[in-house]
Amino acid sequence: MKLLVTGGCGFIGSNFVRMMLQRYPDCDITNLDKLTYAGNPENLKDIRDNPNYSFIKGDICDPHVVEKAMENVDIVIHFAAESHVDRSIEDGDVFVRTNVLGTNTLLNCALRSDIKKFIHVSTDEVYGSTETGSFKEEDNLEPSSPYSSSKAGSDLLAMSYHTTYGLPVSITRCTNNFGPYQYPEKLIPLFITNLMESEKVPVYGTGLNIRDWIHVDDHCSGIDFVLQNGNSGEVYNIGGGNELTNLDITHRVLKDLGKDESMIRYVEDRKGHDFRYSLDCTKLKKMGWKPEYDFESALSSTVKWYVENRWWWEPLKQ
Ligand code: NAD
């Protein structure tokens, strides 16, 4: 396997690169990453010298860079994106540029290269919010934020390249990830690192919004499963089966760090805050994939990772 991974210096991309090199020591991985604020070469410090790994600093919106990165590659796993909802509410421009234009650039270059599989990594947020039930792959997309709308746009583009040109595209849509190397602006690492610095944790509104949580390794194993077993032109939901309110998560993190409720600071709700995301993952489970991590112990070991790896997150919070 010769893989091009985009956004491999981000949270999920770096965990995916590490997992693939462990699972398939003979595979070749090229990582194309622009190194935005969210891209951190330290995330792959341990595999930097692996002869099967190479890094290109570049923008997925630049066709020359992408064309070169795709030389001698058979598989593209596309993670690169602007990924933080709050930032998209402040300013959506870079989200449209990277998530929509960048994805189109990759798809377009893939058409002219010998790509056997293109996996577009997407999110449950494209389906929008629901009070009851769980979204299936064929449900309509009703995204709410500029982030999720730009991801939905990229999903539609990706599938259009399959329908129009026969490009072997599969899409994965996953729920909220947690684990090591997640930029400390996202809920779980933000809360852990705030508490470690004796700062309160900001909970939006009443804290009753619901998300499904999955350990990043389970997401990565789901992507690998789709790579090995998925069909082109298909969408696959990947979820952890751990639906919790933001307040539930907050209480668990507080407890793990020996803190109490006085460390919660309720803040004005996020604009257009989706109430609940929920995925029906029957399709992938019927094919044989399932998440392996137990939520409680995975969350505790994640807390432990941030406690033990101050060197990683401290510079990012300054
Ligand atoms: P992240 O923000 O941690 O990492 C994004 C990476 O993409 C960074 O390394 C960044 O430098 C790179 N990048 C950004 N713009 C680029 C550009 N123009 N050219 C090249 N590289 C660029 O994001 P993440 O949380 O690892 O998410 C990865 C993917 O997974 C995204 O597509 C996201 O939508 C999707 N996803 C994330 C979650 C989650 O819970 N984090 C859940 C479902 C899906």
Side-chain angles (χ1 to χ4, degrees), residues 7 9-13 32-36 38-40 58-61 78-83 97-98 121-123 147 151 174-177 182 186 219:
C9 291
F11 164 45
I12 306 171
L32 170 62
D33 197 300
K34 187 180 176 183
L35 298 183
T36 67
N40 186 353
D59 189 337
I60 57 165
C61 299
H78 173 34
F79 293 95
E82 288 295 332
S83 68
R97 183 181 181 276
T98 291
V121 179
S122 190
T123 163
Y147 162 65
K151 289 297 290 186
C174 187
T175 57
N176 272 32
N177 285 221
Q182 186 168 29
K186 303 279 169 61
H219 181 191

Side-chain angles (χ1 to χ4, degrees), residues 134-137 173-175 212 214 236-241 278-291:
S134 300
F135 290 110
K136 288 197 156 89
E137 286 82 352
R173 294 189 182 132
C174 187
T175 57
D212 172 50
I214 185 170
Y236 299 94
N237 287 344
I238 302 176
S278 181
L279 292 185
D280 180 329
C281 301
T282 311
K283 181 173 175 180
L284 209 54
K285 286 189 177 152
K286 272 194 177 156
M287 289 166 64
W289 173 85
K290 61 175 174 38

Side-chain angles (χ1 to χ4, degrees), residues 84-150:
H84 191 43
V85 177
D86 290 341
R87 286 179 188 257
S88 81
I89 294 168
E90 290 298 312
D91 182 2
D93 286 6
V94 71
F95 285 74
V96 175
R97 183 181 181 276
T98 291
N99 300 358
V100 182
L101 181 64
T103 300
N104 191 59
T105 307
L106 286 165
L107 292 162
N108 217 344
C109 290
L111 271 188
R112 284 177 269 116
S113 309
D114 196 16
I115 299 301
K116 309 275 187 303
K117 194 100 205 160
F118 187 117
I119 300 210
H120 174 66
V121 179
S122 190
T123 163
D124 59 352
E125 300 194 29
V126 297
Y127 295 112
S129 182
T130 182
E131 301 236 336
T132 54
S134 300
F135 290 110
K136 288 197 156 89
E137 286 82 352
E138 59 276 15
D139 283 334
N140 285 342
L141 306 188
E142 287 187 39
S144 319
S145 71
Y147 162 65
S148 52
S149 303
S150 66

